[in-house]
Amino acid sequence: MAGLGGCPFAKVAGGNTCTEDLVHALQRDGLRRDVRLDALLDVARDVARFFGRDMAGSVYRTGPVPVPAPVLAQRS
């Protein structure tokens, strides 16, 4: 959550994926709609408040990008 984890010996542990960012990307692709993204974002915000700093995640700060509505084919 919120980019927590990684190697305790590395100053910046590269390669961590924030759970909420990954779920957001999957949901935008039409996958894993069963995961409550809003609950994950609440936890990420709580983590940021607890540590008193911005965390590595993006979606908890910006909010999710709405999934675009499907474009219907126009009839000629």
Side-chain angles (χ1 to χ4, degrees), residues 33-63:
R33 300 287 176 133
D34 58 320
V35 178
R36 287 196 43 219
L37 180 60
D38 60 327
L40 294 176
L41 296 177
D42 287 343
V43 171
R45 289 183 196 107
D46 288 345
V47 168
R49 277 192 293 273
F50 178 81
F51 286 107
R53 64 180 177 93
D54 281 338
M55 303 307 289
S58 299
V59 179
Y60 88 92
R61 285 180 273 138
T62 63

Side-chain angles (χ1 to χ4, degrees), residues 2 5 7 9 19 22 25 27 33 42 46 50-51 53 64 74 76:
C7 177
F9 305 106
T19 304
L22 176 62
Q27 289 183 353
R33 300 287 176 133
D42 287 343
D46 288 345
F50 178 81
F51 286 107
R53 64 180 177 93
Q74 295 180 352
S76 302

